[in-house]
Amino acid sequence: MSGTLSAESIKKTITYFYLLSFCPPTDLGAFKEHVKPWKRQIAKAAGMSEAKFFKAAIPEVCSRIVAFHEDSREPSQYWVEALIIKAGKADENPQGAYDFQEELSKVARLPQRALPENRLHRKKGCAFCQLPCNYGFFTLVSDPDFDTLQDMLEAEVNRSGDTKSAIRPVWNFTFSHLIQSIDFEEEYTIHQRHLGNLSYCLLMLAMAKSRLALPAKQLQVYQVINQRLMQPNNSANRN
């Protein structure tokens, strides 16, 4: 089979690798089972075998990820090549998934994005992010439907006072966005710390798109509650 990579197929593959990075390595088997149809479909749409598609797509994906984190059109080959190696083995076994997640975390800590003055929405609350720009590129390429978030927030406002939660609708929106991004099922497992931190990142993007900036004090209070709910011993869930 022969074919070409489209911009859309690269975007979807970037989304795939981020979903893999959010998933606990111990749940890799279930993750792989869920994405089998998607992987076959995207390779077929590109006119390639699955192996050939991912061999061609991974360098493009890694180059774009590093370019985002270095805020540069010419990303460092050192970081690109290091990420390519880990991405190529990311779904082979739990250790491969863990190694990829660790490498992606190293890239996310590059100062061109991680420093407060360089963060994606630095004037919209990113200064309070606990994992600076681990999620920014994913939120940009995965096309979140913020109309749905608005509907969820409005529904929350209509709840009775004792049951209202500022966090719940954003977490629910985040999870639904994840499973819809590559047609997952509800069984997708995500680290709770990723769900909470990603939800904050999506909220910042939604604010940036709406040109609405909440007062810093409100964002700080939101983050305190958000971070508390991410703790392993917290029994709170999305419901």
Side-chain angles (χ1 to χ4, degrees):
M1 299 175 68
S2 61
T4 57
L5 297 173
S6 66
E8 186 63 23
S9 68
I10 293 298
K11 281 180 63 176
K12 288 182 177 179
T13 310
I14 290 170
T15 298
Y16 162 78
F17 276 104
Y18 272 100
L19 262 69
L20 193 158
S21 77
F22 302 149
C23 181
T26 52
D27 291 302
L28 179 65
F31 176 90
K32 290 174 66 174
E33 194 63 31
H34 288 311
V35 298
K36 272 183 181 179
W38 177 86
K39 291 179 76 174
R40 287 195 295 265
Q41 182 182 18
I42 194 171
K44 183 178 180 180
M48 302 182 195
S49 68
E50 188 177 310
K52 185 175 181 180
F53 173 82
F54 278 90
K55 183 177 181 180
I58 284 174
E60 297 294 330
V61 167
C62 294
S63 178
R64 284 163 173 76
I65 290 174
V66 176
F68 170 81
H69 285 287
E70 291 189 325
D71 194 17
S72 171
R73 293 185 178 183
E74 298 182 2
S76 162
Q77 285 305 299
Y78 170 83
W79 288 109
V80 172
E81 290 170 10
L83 196 57
I84 287 172
I85 292 171
K86 296 299 191 294
K89 300 179 179 179
D91 63 359
E92 289 184 356
N93 51 54
Q95 184 62 49
Y98 176 81
D99 291 343
F100 170 67
Q101 292 171 7
E102 286 295 295
E103 194 66 33
L104 195 59
S105 180
K106 291 178 185 177
V107 171
R109 292 196 294 268
L110 293 173
Q112 296 93 330
R113 283 289 180 192
L115 291 177
E117 63 269 23
N118 298 334
R119 296 178 189 178
L120 187 60
H121 311 301
R122 51 194 170 275
K123 296 181 180 179
K124 299 285 185 177
C126 280
F128 308 123
C129 184
Q130 298 297 306
L131 291 174
C133 270
N134 276 248
Y135 312 98
F137 193 45
F138 169 76
T139 66
L140 293 177
V141 302
S142 60
D143 299 322
D145 178 8
F146 289 123
D147 287 341
T148 301
L149 175 59
Q150 182 64 36
D151 292 342
M152 289 181 170
L153 290 170
E154 289 176 0
E156 194 67 27
V157 170
N158 293 326
R159 283 178 178 258
S160 62
D162 292 342
T163 62
K164 286 182 182 180
S165 167
I167 307 296
R168 177 173 47 223
V170 187
W171 279 39
N172 283 339
F173 168 75
T174 300
F175 189 77
S176 65
H177 172 60
L178 287 167
I179 63 174
Q180 291 169 11
S181 58
I182 55 174
D183 300 322
F184 250 106
E185 301 294 337
E186 277 279 353
E187 288 81 3
Y188 172 66
T189 303
I190 178 174
H191 274 296
Q192 188 152 297
R193 67 182 179 87
H194 283 313
L195 181 61
N197 284 310
L198 174 58
S199 72
Y200 184 78
C201 188
L202 283 166
L203 182 61
M204 295 307 98
L205 177 58
M207 285 172 49
K209 284 182 173 290
S210 70
R211 298 182 182 179
L212 170 67
L214 291 176
K217 287 185 178 179
Q218 289 187 24
L219 288 175
Q220 286 177 295
V221 170
Y222 181 97
Q223 264 291 59
V224 168
I225 301 170
N226 193 39
Q227 294 296 313
R228 186 184 305 146
L229 290 175
M230 281 184 256
Q231 299 306 310
N233 60 348
N234 196 301
S235 60
N237 56 39
R238 291 177 289 111
N239 298 315

